[in-house]
Amino acid sequence: EWRPWRALTVATAREIIALAESARAPDLAVHGRFLLLGALLERGEIGELDAQLRRQDALIDEFASPRFARHALWFQCTRAMLDGDPDRVESLAGECFAIADRLDDPDGIAIFGAQYGVAQWMRGRIDTMEQAYLDSMRADPENPVWRAVLAWLWADQGRRDEARGALAHLPP
C-alpha cells in the first residue's frame, strides 16, 4: 500500500544525502542513506535498496567508522532475511553485536535478539528464543519490544491468553 509519507521520507533522505555530499560531511551522508535504506525497504524497492547498500558500504569503508559499520551490517542482515538465508542472518547478527558491544551500544542486545530470533524463526526454531526474550523483558521491563515479541511468539504457539496478557501491558 502506498502512503504519501513514504514518498516524503525518500525525498527527505535524498535531500539530506545531497546536502551532506555538497557540504563534504560524510557522516551526515551515512545518516541520510540510513534513512533512505529504511524508506526503500518499507516501499519494497529491493533493486534500489541493493544499489544504496553498495554505496553505503563504500562510504563506510572510505572513513572506517565502526559506529556506521554496524548500521550497514543491519541492512545487510535484513537483506539476508529477504534472501531467506538464516546462516548469513546469524553471522551478520553476530558481527553487528560484536561492534555494538565494543561501542557499549545499549541497543545492541535488542538488535541482536531480533536478528538472531529471525534466523531461528526462519529455521522453524523460534521457540528456542522464548527464554531469552523473557530474560530480556525482565531485565528491561520498560522496553515494549520484549512484550511485543513474546505476544507474537505465544500467539504463534496458540497460547492466546498469554499473548493477550503481554499485549495488555504495551503502551497505547
Side-chain angles (χ1 to χ4, degrees):
E1 170 186 332
W2 183 84
R3 295 185 183 147
W5 62 265
R6 286 188 181 154
L8 179 62
T9 303
V10 169
T12 302
R14 289 188 192 283
E15 185 176 356
I16 291 168
I17 294 166
L19 289 169
E21 288 174 350
S22 70
R24 300 185 204 282
D27 55 334
L28 182 57
V30 168
H31 282 290
R33 192 156 276 106
F34 183 79
L35 295 172
L36 179 59
L37 291 169
L40 293 170
L41 186 60
E42 287 177 2
R43 291 172 62 156
E45 295 183 21
I46 304 305
E48 181 66 9
L49 175 72
D50 288 341
Q52 293 298 330
L53 277 170
R54 286 189 296 277
R55 180 69 183 121
Q56 184 82 318
D57 289 346
L59 274 175
I60 289 168
D61 287 348
E62 200 174 297
F63 61 96
S65 174
R67 66 190 173 107
F68 293 130
R70 79 177 191 275
H71 295 163
L73 287 172
W74 288 349
F75 281 100
Q76 290 174 19
C77 189
T78 301
R79 189 63 178 94
M81 291 173 195
L82 294 173
D83 289 339
D85 187 346
D87 293 334
R88 182 146 169 74
V89 170
E90 185 175 337
S91 174
L92 289 166
E95 288 181 52
C96 288
F97 183 68
I99 293 170
D101 192 44
R102 281 195 307 274
L103 296 171
D104 292 322
D105 179 355
D107 296 325
I109 192 66
I111 300 296
F112 176 75
Q115 293 171 330
Y116 185 79
V118 169
Q120 293 302 89
W121 173 75
M122 292 170 79
R123 294 179 174 119
R125 298 193 310 240
I126 190 61
D127 294 351
T128 64
M129 296 299 296
E130 182 175 2
Q131 190 59 54
Y133 292 147
L134 282 167
D135 292 345
S136 294
M137 181 185 68
R138 288 180 188 116
D140 189 7
E142 298 303 312
N143 188 339
V145 72
W146 304 119
R147 289 187 193 279
V149 77
L150 282 164
W152 168 76
L153 186 131
W154 291 332
D156 187 59
Q157 294 172 341
R159 296 161 56 189
R160 306 277 190 239
D161 290 339
E162 288 169 273
R164 282 186 202 96
L167 291 173
H169 288 91
L170 291 178

